[in-house]
Amino acid sequence: MIASEILRKVRRIEITTRGLVNEVFSGEYHSVFQGRGMNFAEVREYQYGDDIRSIDWNVTARTGTPFVKVFEEERELTVMLVVDVSASGNFGTRVRMKGDVAVEICALLAFSAIKNNDKVGLILFSDRIEKFVPPRKGRRHVLRVLRELLYHRPDRSGTDIRMALEYLTRVTRRRAVVFLVSDFLAGGFGRALNIAGRRHDTIAVRVRDRREAELPPIGLVEFEDAETGERFVVNTSDRSFQEAFGRNRAAVEEELERTLRHGKVDLIDVRADRPYVRPLMRFFKERERRRR
């Protein structure tokens, strides 16, 4: 794809997601994610109701009038986007592929972060680390992140979430807000997620398609595993196949829910065939409610 086409697509995504940040998510991001601590802001005269533990005794002694220290929350955060770019993202049965939806969600989160003067970093992974963009501030940096999300061509097709989380732990020493974006069609990452969940404010963003949860009975269908290339034919009208498919999906759901719950990791569940604004707003509202 030539440079002008790349720039047009980046600009289109920027306009769409920045519009949502300004019109829909204004204030939501800021109110939900806390900073790293409290910074000293100023001293002012004591007022009725102030905590006596905040009295600045040095200033009070010099002036003969009680003064208190005022602190404000340190707002600057680091937001890490840890994004699955394996071949299973190249699937969608309606308007868009799962990978396209993941890009828009990441752009929305990135523009929310820079509007709040936070840093944004990016890890793209398949069954290896495909790309690492260290966290920085600013619109130009976020546009670089967006270009990587849109136009990186993975070297591998598989998925290794455990490896990606272990890499995150190595390269991100300070506490960060981590959005782990994947379809989570892989297991074996429970321990790595527990460690990441303790060190960072970790949120799982699952992007899936309706046909991964339900298959219509339409007879013989040939399927291909996007990550392994394996092909097989099944009779989707066969009752035993439908029952087995349902049991398998229920088991996968239960295992993911158990893993996230054990790691105290929130889940934003997004469908590629539905608008993603409502699940994101639900997450922000629930987070805000829990903070009260």
Side-chain angles (χ1 to χ4, degrees), residues 88-99 209 211-212 272:
S88 62
N90 300 323
F91 179 76
T93 56
R94 286 295 183 91
V95 179
R96 293 182 296 176
M97 302 293 187
K98 293 186 294 182
D209 187 86
R211 291 305 176 212
E212 293 169 331

Side-chain angles (χ1 to χ4, degrees), residues 40-60:
F40 172 74
E42 61 178 348
V43 293
R44 60 165 172 78
E45 285 194 43
Y46 176 86
Q47 299 174 2
Y48 178 77
D50 285 340
D51 189 338
I52 62 171
R53 291 174 297 182
S54 64
I55 292 177
D56 187 323
W57 294 108
N58 290 330
V59 177
T60 297

Side-chain angles (χ1 to χ4, degrees), residues 223-254:
F223 292 92
E224 180 179 342
D225 188 313
E227 297 190 5
T228 66
E230 180 184 0
R231 293 189 176 191
F232 49 93
V233 177
V234 298
N235 184 0
T236 59
S237 298
D238 183 76
R239 182 175 179 179
S240 61
F241 168 78
Q242 287 287 346
E243 290 174 351
F245 183 83
R247 287 194 301 270
N248 180 68
R249 289 308 305 165
V252 170
E253 288 284 317
E254 184 179 340

Side-chain angles (χ1 to χ4, degrees), residues 8 17 23 30 79 95 102 109 118 124 126 138 144-145 150 154 162 166 170 185 191 200 210 234 261:
R8 278 198 298 271
T17 53
E23 296 170 17
H30 181 90
V79 174
V95 179
L109 295 169
D118 293 336
L124 301 178
S126 54
R144 181 204 169 182
V145 166
L150 281 167
R162 176 193 58 79
E166 290 175 349
R170 291 197 300 273
L185 297 178
R191 183 174 180 275
H200 307 292
R210 61 181 301 201
V234 298
R261 186 169 57 249

